[in-house]
């Protein structure tokens, strides 16, 4: 059920912020370990998350709303799922290029639709389901990386490390969306933006403790590199906080599946960053895949109206 029109602009901005953040984070991952590159988005996102909620409270003053008992549990579930998803996505980047790694993870749209149907009881129109199918076809075409592949070649490619890591990343990103939506619902306020910012301000420190503790235990020497990369990592934290705030606002006001379908426009931003920022060549098949993704978003929006 859509409770506010804010979900659409929030989702579009979130897609742009996430693509930008992922592009910068990939450059950080060249000098940091898998867990170190994952930690920077949370560690450096804390001050920006706190600034966002403080600024919002200054603009719209009032007491903080009550939180239901399950609030922290949902934040923890969503936060842990996002850590796993991010690590898997970075792992996919190390097997294939930036655009292809992200394309595999975008199967989260269909995975999120199925999971939200069973776990949240959210239904979509047939037209929106058609948009999901079109979008998935587009990201699968993107995943070929410009190579001509028959059906059997494609099936074999799904077993490659980049595909496995990317698809698993999409699954955990879908779980993240469900956990965050339930967390925003556990905030006793009619203001979805405030609910989203509260969830963000609580979840990011949780994620920092979880992944930071793991890094200190398993790779204690890596923490020095995390702090020494503050110039670029600070950008990751800022973009991550802004993007997550928008994603969370979308999840608070619209069905998870619909937000994730429209969020596939991130692929367009991703291809732009991959081509202009990371200097990766765009193949003809990638352009065709992008058109399918955009068509899928249009169908999903038409089905939601």
């Amino acid at each position: 059920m859509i409770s506010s029109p804010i979900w659409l602009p929030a989702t579009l901005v979130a897609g742009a912020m996430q693509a930008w953040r992922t592009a910068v984070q990939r450059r950080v991952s060249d000098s940091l370990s898998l867990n170190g590159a994952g930690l920077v988005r949370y560690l450096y996102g804390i001050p920006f998350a706190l600034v966002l909620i403080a600024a919002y409270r200054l603009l719209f003053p009032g007491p903080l709303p009550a939180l239901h008992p399950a609030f922290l549990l949902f934040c923890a579930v969503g936060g842990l799922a996002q850590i796993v998803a991010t690590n898997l996505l970075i792992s996919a980047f190390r097997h294939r290029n930036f655009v292809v790694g992200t394309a595999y993870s975008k199967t989260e749209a269909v995975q999120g639709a199925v999971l939200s149907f069973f776990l949240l009881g959210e239904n979509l129109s047939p037209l929106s389901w058609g948009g999901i199918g079109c979008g998935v076809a587009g990201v699968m075409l993107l995943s070929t990386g410009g190579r001509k592949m028959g059906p059997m070649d494609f099936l074999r490619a799904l077993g490659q490390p980049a595909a496995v890591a990317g698809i698993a990343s999409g699954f955990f990103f879908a779980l993240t969306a469900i956990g965050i939506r339930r967390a925003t619902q556990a905030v006793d306020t009619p203001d979805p933006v405030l609910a989203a910012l509260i969830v963000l301000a609580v979840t990011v420190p949780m994620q920092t403790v979880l992944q930071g503790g793991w890094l200190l235990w398993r790779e204690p020497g890596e923490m020095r590199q995390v702090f020494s990369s503050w110039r670029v990592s600070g950008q990751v934290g800022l973009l991550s906080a802004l993007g997550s705030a928008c994603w969370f606002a979308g999840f608070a006001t619209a069905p998870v599946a619909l937000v994730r379908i429209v969020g596939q426009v991130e692929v367009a931003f991703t291809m732009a960053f991959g081509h202009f920022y990371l200097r990766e060549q765009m193949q003809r098949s990638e352009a065709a895949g992008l058109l399918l993704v955009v068509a899928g978003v249009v169908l999903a929006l038409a089905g939601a109206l």
Side-chain angles (χ1 to χ4, degrees):
M1 180 179 180
I2 298 175
S3 60
S4 170
I6 195 174
W7 76 273
L8 182 55
T11 300
L12 295 175
V13 173
M17 291 295 103
Q18 182 164 313
W20 190 358
R21 185 265 303 163
T22 305
V24 177
Q25 190 172 23
R26 185 185 171 182
R27 287 198 163 181
V28 173
S29 70
D30 291 338
S31 59
L32 296 175
S33 70
L34 181 67
N35 286 295
L39 175 62
V40 296
R41 68 174 293 187
Y42 312 121
L43 176 64
Y44 289 95
I46 291 177
F48 298 111
L50 296 178
V51 166
L52 284 173
I53 192 169
Y56 192 79
R57 285 283 78 185
L58 285 174
L59 291 173
F60 305 98
L64 290 176
L67 305 175
H68 294 289
F71 171 77
L72 291 178
L73 174 61
F74 291 131
C75 286
V77 169
L80 181 58
Q82 190 175 43
I83 289 174
V84 175
T86 301
N87 280 12
L88 286 167
L89 181 59
I90 295 173
S91 177
F93 291 160
R94 293 177 175 179
H95 292 290
R96 291 285 298 279
N97 70 29
F98 173 64
V99 170
V100 173
T102 302
Y104 280 123
S105 74
K106 289 296 100 183
T107 57
E108 69 172 291
V110 66
Q111 296 186 73
V114 174
L115 287 174
S116 62
F117 174 77
F118 286 107
L119 297 179
L120 301 177
E122 295 179 350
N123 292 306
L124 296 175
S125 69
L127 198 57
S128 292
W129 277 107
I132 291 176
C134 190
V136 170
V139 295
M140 289 298 97
L141 183 57
L142 285 168
S143 73
T144 64
R147 293 175 293 131
K148 293 183 179 180
M149 299 176 66
M152 294 306 298
D153 294 325
F154 179 75
L155 290 175
R156 281 192 293 270
L158 290 178
Q160 297 300 312
V164 173
I167 292 171
S169 171
F171 174 78
F172 281 99
F173 274 129
L175 285 182
T176 299
I178 291 172
I180 295 304
R181 177 162 174 79
R182 293 292 288 117
T184 58
Q185 291 173 340
V187 181
D188 190 13
T189 176
D191 185 345
V193 176
L194 177 59
L197 292 176
I198 289 174
V199 172
L200 178 66
V202 172
T203 303
V204 173
M206 278 186 175
Q207 292 171 310
T208 301
V209 171
L210 287 171
Q211 190 148 28
W214 177 266
L215 190 67
L216 284 172
W217 179 42
R218 303 292 294 182
E219 305 172 64
E222 189 69 13
M223 191 61 76
R224 180 179 299 177
Q225 296 296 324
V226 168
F227 285 111
S228 66
S229 68
W230 65 270
R231 289 181 178 82
V232 179
S233 295
Q235 298 174 45
V236 175
L238 171 61
L239 295 169
S240 178
L242 292 173
S244 293
C246 292
W247 281 124
F248 291 7
F251 296 143
T253 52
V256 166
L258 190 58
V259 173
R260 281 310 192 188
I261 296 165
V262 174
Q264 284 185 331
V265 295
E266 177 199 348
V267 174
F269 298 120
T270 295
M271 293 184 70
F273 281 117
H275 182 64
F276 295 107
Y277 182 70
L278 298 176
R279 304 301 181 186
E280 294 180 348
Q281 295 299 313
M282 184 182 299
Q283 305 293 330
R284 185 174 299 177
S285 64
E286 291 176 336
L290 175 60
L291 290 176
L292 283 173
V293 169
V294 173
V297 171
V298 172
L299 285 174
L301 285 174
L305 296 178

